Amino acid sequence: MRIPALVTVLALLLLPMAAVSASAADDPPVVKLSKTQAGTGGSVTVTGSGWRPRALLMLLICGQSVPSTGVPGGTNSCANADGRAVTTDAEGRFSRKLPVAEPPVPCPCVVHVATATGPKAEADAIFQVAGHAVEPLPAEPAGGRLSVLTDTRLDGSSGLLTWFGAPPARTFVFTVGNVGTSAVRNPVFQVGTSHGVFAPQWEEQQWRGTIQPGRKARIELPVELAAGAHGDYAVSLKYGGKVMAEQPWGVGRPWGVTLFWILVCLVVPAALFRVGMAVVDRIRPRQSARRRGLRLPEVAFRLPGLRPREEARHAAPPSSALPWFTPDSDPGTAGRLSAPHDDSPTSPTTPTRKGPP
């Protein structure tokens, strides 16, 4: 009986804690300012909580924006040159001074805080730039309005050419629905690609078709990066001046280019060495001629089944006379070179008889 009672008490104690943690995880991030108005050249301290731990955030002052609508014009309506970056602590909090600068569009203005990497999260706080022009927000066009209904994705894969530095390409796929009162014909979307903390580079793409009120359509738009691009990229979708979706894109490094340069570093020195050796051979022709004139001594091979007499028979007879020496050419030396003989009728060694014959 004690064990079930102990389990019940622990459950009652842990349920409120779990509910508090779940509500904290569902709460959006919060941004607070030390003051709501300041002039150009001053600064404002921005604090926040409820963010992802160890997240990199960007702090910007943006015009033509309110917290309820966010930043419709994207970072193009913000003072990007005077923005600041900050990293949250282990509890998702931060504090950073932000210099006050005039945005490129009139106020109402906000201090816009958004994640630079990882899952997208953003928050805004009302701020007034003293001395900056103030104009009412542009009215939203009546009629058809598009809204993203499903999660976006990037279809496609990299091929062999991309491994060697070709531009990576994907297809940006999403589904939109017409939540307005009139049809939307041939809508023009803006697709932007950004790398790291840099602002997206927008490109207009028109989708051919008509979306009736209350209907939805599947949109496919091509996306392409520069040649040799690699790293963490983000693909953003904008329609009607408002960012509708964002999709991360991790692009691998083109290792084929690195392999190519390694081969170049090995082949070029080898080719230069060969060319240098050929030049040296042309510069020193005498030494090469001497080397070619040398002859190796002839080696007589003895066949295992051939007898010595047969070897002598098959061998070529040696030349008896040298080509530059002819014995008969000199008459004075002909007798000297012949074999000695005696022309007398009797040989001095033949014994003679004495007395009468």
Side-chain angles (χ1 to χ4, degrees):
M1 295 297 293
R2 293 180 180 180
I3 295 177
L6 182 59
V7 172
T8 304
V9 172
L10 291 176
L12 293 176
L13 293 176
L14 293 176
L15 282 176
M17 297 176 62
V20 171
S21 61
S23 61
D26 295 337
D27 290 340
V30 179
V31 173
K32 295 182 180 180
L33 306 178
S34 60
K35 46 189 173 182
T36 59
Q37 183 175 356
T40 305
S43 62
V44 57
T45 302
V46 184
T47 58
S49 60
W51 296 86
R52 191 175 69 255
R54 308 300 180 187
L56 179 62
L57 307 179
M58 287 295 298
L59 285 66
L60 299 170
I61 296 180
C62 305
Q64 289 291 296
S65 305
V66 292
S68 59
T69 61
V71 183
T75 56
N76 294 330
S77 61
C78 304
N80 297 314
D82 297 299
R84 293 293 183 269
V86 65
T87 303
T88 60
D89 57 12
E91 297 180 356
R93 300 177 181 177
F94 72 91
S95 179
R96 187 75 160 84
K97 279 190 176 183
L98 177 66
V100 178
E102 293 184 354
V105 295
C107 284
C109 300
V110 297
V111 172
H112 180 68
V113 182
T115 54
T117 58
K120 184 179 179 181
E122 58 185 12
D124 301 317
I126 297 177
F127 184 75
Q128 178 63 37
V129 180
H132 191 56
V134 179
E135 294 181 3
L137 294 175
E140 295 184 1
R145 292 183 303 169
L146 297 181
S147 178
V148 177
L149 302 180
T150 60
D151 294 336
T152 59
R153 71 175 186 274
L154 293 172
D155 289 348
S157 60
S158 300
L160 182 61
L161 295 179
T162 306
W163 198 68
F164 283 95
R170 295 289 189 276
T171 302
F172 194 38
V173 182
F174 56 95
T175 302
V176 297
N178 188 355
V179 296
T181 58
S182 61
V184 178
R185 296 179 176 84
N186 301 329
V188 178
F189 298 94
Q190 288 182 314
V191 179
T193 56
S194 60
H195 181 55
V197 297
F198 295 97
Q201 301 293 328
W202 300 101
E203 179 183 359
E204 291 187 354
Q205 297 188 20
Q206 187 175 18
W207 181 77
R208 299 290 181 178
T210 302
I211 306 175
Q212 299 295 335
R215 297 297 181 87
K216 60 182 180 180
R218 186 171 180 266
I219 310 296
E220 296 182 0
L221 301 176
V223 182
E224 184 175 341
L225 300 178
H230 62 276
D232 295 330
Y233 284 80
V235 181
S236 303
L237 177 68
K238 184 192 296 186
Y239 178 76
K242 184 178 180 180
V243 178
M244 303 175 65
E246 187 176 10
Q247 178 70 28
W249 183 7
V251 183
R253 183 180 294 272
W255 292 108
V257 179
T258 305
L259 179 61
F260 170 78
W261 285 113
I262 292 175
L263 294 177
V264 168
C265 293
L266 295 177
V267 172
V268 171
L272 293 178
F273 176 77
R274 295 294 298 274
V275 172
M277 295 300 297
V279 172
V280 170
D281 291 341
R282 292 297 182 90
I283 292 176
R284 299 187 301 178
R286 295 180 180 179
Q287 295 181 2
S288 61
R290 290 178 182 177
R291 294 177 181 176
R292 295 172 185 173
L294 295 178
R295 295 182 178 179
L296 296 176
E298 297 180 359
V299 181
F301 293 93
R302 187 172 183 178
L303 299 177
L306 192 64
R307 297 180 180 180
R309 294 181 179 178
E310 295 178 0
E311 292 179 27
R313 186 184 303 172
H314 289 288
S319 178
S320 61
L322 297 176
W324 62 83
F325 180 77
T326 305
D328 298 337
S329 62
D330 189 0
T333 60
R336 298 175 184 177
L337 298 175
S338 60
H341 60 278
D342 188 6
D343 296 337
S344 59
T346 59
S347 175
T349 59
T350 304
T352 59
R353 293 181 182 179
K354 294 183 180 181

